[in-house]
Amino acid sequence: MLKILIPTLMLIPTTWLTPKSWVWTTTTAQSLAIALLSLTWLKWTSETGWSTSGPYMATDPLSTPLLVLTCWLLPLMILASQNHISPEPINRQRSYITLLILLQTFLIMAFGATEIIMFYIMFEATLIPTLIIITRWGNQTERLNAGTYFLFYTLAGSLPLLVALLMTQKDMGTLSMLIIQHTKPTNLLSWGDKIWWVGCLLAFLVKMPLYGVHLWLPKAHVEAPIAGSMVLAAVLLKLGGYGMMRITIMLDPLTKELAYPFIILALWGIIMTGSICLRQTDLKSLIAYSSVSHMGLVAGGILIQTPWGFTGAIILMIAHGLVSSALFCLANTNYERTHSRTLLLTRGLQMILPLMATWWFIANLANLALPPLPNLMGELAIITSLFSWSPWTIVSTGLGTLITAGYSLYMFLMTQRGPTPLHTISLHPSHTREHLLMAMHLIPVLLLVLKPELMWGVCH
Amino acid sequence: WILAWMGLEINTMAIIPLMAQQHHPRATEATTKYFLTQATAAAMILFASTMNAWTMGDWNINQISHPLATTTVTLALALKIGLAPMHFWLPEVLQGLNLTTGLVLSTWQKLAPFALILQISQNTNPALLTTLGVMSALVGGWGGLNQTQLRKLLAYSSIAHLGWMIIILQFMPALTLLNLTIYITMTSTMFLSLKIMASTKINSLALAWPKTPTLTTLIMLSLLSLGGLPPLTGFMPKWLILQELAKQDLPITATIMAMSALLSLFFYLR
């Protein structure tokens, strides 16, 4: 773990000490080296499932794919930000990169934490750099409002979590994940215990986000700069899912009865947010709502607590992280050229930017869960396990899949096909950097088709 | 107790001319209000200690044991430092002062009463302390929401922080001291940086970015720390206090305190 943390922290002096023309190159290269190094975590050799590198930091097959995803995204974020940051003075560019690196460090420590309190502190700590990125470098005036929404929704959910965790520590004596998986199930009967259960889960449900408390997500995504959107969609939402998976270990057996309203909200949310996507005029908002929809599936999969549900959840999280981030990058390429997110103004791009149209095509196919891509693997696992939990869920999940296909195709057709409006004829051609960015997003998705065991080590 | 009372009176007298230095009518008004409240509090302390001596025959500070006496002295000390529901003087007094005097008022002036509070902590009524603490945290949060004047904002933040400090007093006084120390550090940072930028309203803070970007970043970080966000140091007292409250099986109190921290955070964030 230290092999990865220390180079990441050392990236900060790197950004401040390299000469001006080399900053972006060196940071991208170094973060890419770190990402490749993080791939070594994917080899699980330990018997108990946890490979420890210290009493407080350990990796196991649940956290490793998410860790690798996080490390992989940092060079991609830096690549994506190059264009829109370049007009600013060099020190501000450096501080932007420093913020991204700090966020990365907190995320690595969050996913690698074994004490749940440490996970909590890192979970909260990731809010601060994200808040600064959204409010300082966002594009519209609504970004202040978005930042406030973001911070307060998340904090209102996580403060009860803190109290619940502290109460657990008092009762069980420890909050180390290594130990909790072996404790006997607690006897939870009274009303107070039910509130404790909700307190534990609420923070993660807000972060995921669950349909009822998802309002911060479209605001935050739309107002954030590209790197902010990428990291938000890809990793921060997964923090919520990961936290839920860890916490549900100690929440049995109450979860069987209490999870009903949340599962229903999640399933209903899939359909509702999918339908909203069909009526959106703002491209980034469309992708944001599609994130909510996918995460609703993930929430449903986790809350029913079956092995296939968990497996499907984590596969979908990884695949959705990569694909969603890729879609945001694509939307950003449009935004950088036309400075508008409105779908109507960025139509018919296949004529002008044909190679980018290929990437749009692949990303949208991945979003609608085309076989054999891992998106489908995850969705299928979750839908199957939900069906075995209750046959009626097939109504909402099936409808949800249909609507997802609908809006993904809608997004593709609106941006690529159709007559090109006259004002877009004089756009810049695609940069190599953008192609590289898209390739690095989508090639892992394709590679994961070949070896999905990397993702589902948890239950098989 | 007599010596304690004398010390508090001398403290009040000494700071009065310091506050009245600026010959602005608002400063004079603030000085008068401050003098009145502090004198009342000191008189109440004298009364309580005399009553205790009369009924129990004891002048020792930490042996004050008659329930009426302890309640009175707790309320008097709460008035001195500005805990709700005796907090009404604090925003106006702080507003009338310039930033340096305000700094002294918020930090140094709290040390003496807190020394007394810590010493009488064993015998105080737990329900009273909890009520004072929770009310202060909530009032500090709600009151600061509509403020644009920075000094009043810092006054309400002081009320909220004092609430946190009081609530843990009955369980682990060491945490009260820790919270006090960290609060003094953070507030001093805020006051001094505001003094450097010579700004007293939120609007003037918005112009700070071009002047001193480093200082603005520091102000932002220290404001977030005041709000109690991890991983900044300001989180540590809140965390430990919540832990102690949880250990004592008081989850509801803990949740109320935590939510009121959110209120304060909102106006820090502006």
Side-chain angles (χ1 to χ4, degrees), chain B residues 37-72:
Chain B
T37 49
Q38 300 290 316
T40 321
M44 273 172 68
I45 293 179
L46 194 59
F47 175 58
S49 52
T50 326
M51 181 176 26
N52 189 44
W54 184 258
T55 50
M56 298 277 150
D58 213 334
W59 279 105
N60 254 332
I61 294 184
N62 46 4
Q63 306 236 357
I64 182 165
S65 46
H66 188 243
L68 186 55
T70 46
T71 320
T72 321

Side-chain angles (χ1 to χ4, degrees), chain A residues 1-53:
Chain A
M1 180 70 65
L2 270 183
K3 276 202 293 275
I4 305 287
L5 264 181
I6 292 193
T8 319
L9 281 172
M10 284 294 121
L11 261 174
I12 301 181
T14 311
T15 48
W16 286 94
L17 294 174
T18 45
K20 173 175 170 176
S21 51
W22 282 97
V23 169
W24 291 94
T25 326
T26 41
T27 45
T28 321
Q30 188 171 350
S31 47
L32 192 60
I34 297 177
L36 290 174
L37 206 66
S38 72
L39 287 172
T40 60
W41 274 331
L42 284 172
K43 187 169 186 304
W44 307 301
T45 48
S46 159
E47 278 276 319
T48 64
W50 287 86
S51 13
T52 336
S53 46

Side-chain angles (χ1 to χ4, degrees), chain B residues 8-248:
Chain B
L8 286 175
E9 286 286 299
I10 297 179
N11 186 12
T12 317
M13 302 270 184
I15 202 163
I16 295 291
L18 216 59
M19 287 165 63
Q21 233 179 8
Q22 236 185 345
H23 291 294
H24 193 273
R26 197 185 291 138
T28 329
E29 175 193 345
T31 319
T32 325
K33 282 188 193 163
Y34 186 67
F35 177 65
L36 283 175
T37 49
Q38 300 290 316
T40 321
M44 273 172 68
I45 293 179
L46 194 59
F47 175 58
S49 52
T50 326
M51 181 176 26
N52 189 44
W54 184 258
T55 50
M56 298 277 150
D58 213 334
W59 279 105
N60 254 332
I61 294 184
N62 46 4
Q63 306 236 357
I64 182 165
S65 46
H66 188 243
L68 186 55
T70 46
T71 320
T72 321
V73 92
T74 317
L75 286 176
L77 287 168
L79 175 59
K80 256 205 181 302
I81 54 178
L83 278 177
M86 279 83 66
H87 65 283
F88 293 99
W89 57 273
L90 191 57
E92 287 135 11
V93 169
L94 214 65
Q95 179 66 16
L97 307 172
N98 56 354
L99 285 167
T100 330
T101 326
L103 170 66
V104 170
L105 177 60
S106 300
T107 52
W108 193 256
Q109 294 291 91
K110 305 280 187 284
L111 286 177
F114 256 102
L116 287 175
I117 291 179
L118 281 171
Q119 284 177 317
I120 62 169
S121 60
Q122 284 95 357
N123 303 326
T124 45
N125 187 4
L128 177 68
L129 283 179
T130 319
T131 323
L132 283 175
V134 173
M135 258 171 53
S136 302
L138 285 172
V139 160
W142 282 107
L145 282 179
N146 206 15
Q147 295 296 335
T148 54
Q149 293 285 336
L150 284 172
R151 285 167 288 177
K152 280 201 183 155
L153 213 62
L154 286 171
Y156 280 106
S157 113
S158 155
I159 298 174
H161 279 269
L162 289 173
W164 278 85
M165 290 184 228
I166 284 294
I167 204 155
I168 199 60
L169 188 64
Q170 29 186 324
F171 304 119
M172 191 182 279
L175 277 181
T176 313
L177 264 182
L178 175 70
N179 201 348
L180 183 64
T181 326
I182 294 187
Y183 168 71
I184 288 181
T185 324
M186 293 192 291
T187 323
S188 317
T189 320
M190 278 310 301
F191 267 105
L192 290 172
S193 2
L194 287 179
K195 184 170 165 54
I196 293 184
M197 299 203 311
S199 63
T200 51
K201 296 206 290 282
I202 290 194
N203 297 343
S204 52
L205 264 187
L207 302 169
W209 181 257
K211 279 197 270 186
T212 47
T214 330
L215 192 60
T216 320
T217 327
L218 281 176
I219 288 187
M220 188 189 61
L221 282 178
S222 74
L223 270 176
L224 288 177
S225 182
L226 264 179
L229 278 187
L232 303 166
T233 317
F235 178 61
M236 179 165 68
K238 291 207 162 65
W239 174 23
L240 293 172
I241 289 178
L242 283 176
Q243 190 169 15
E244 269 310 309
L245 282 178
K247 276 196 207 158
Q248 304 284 339

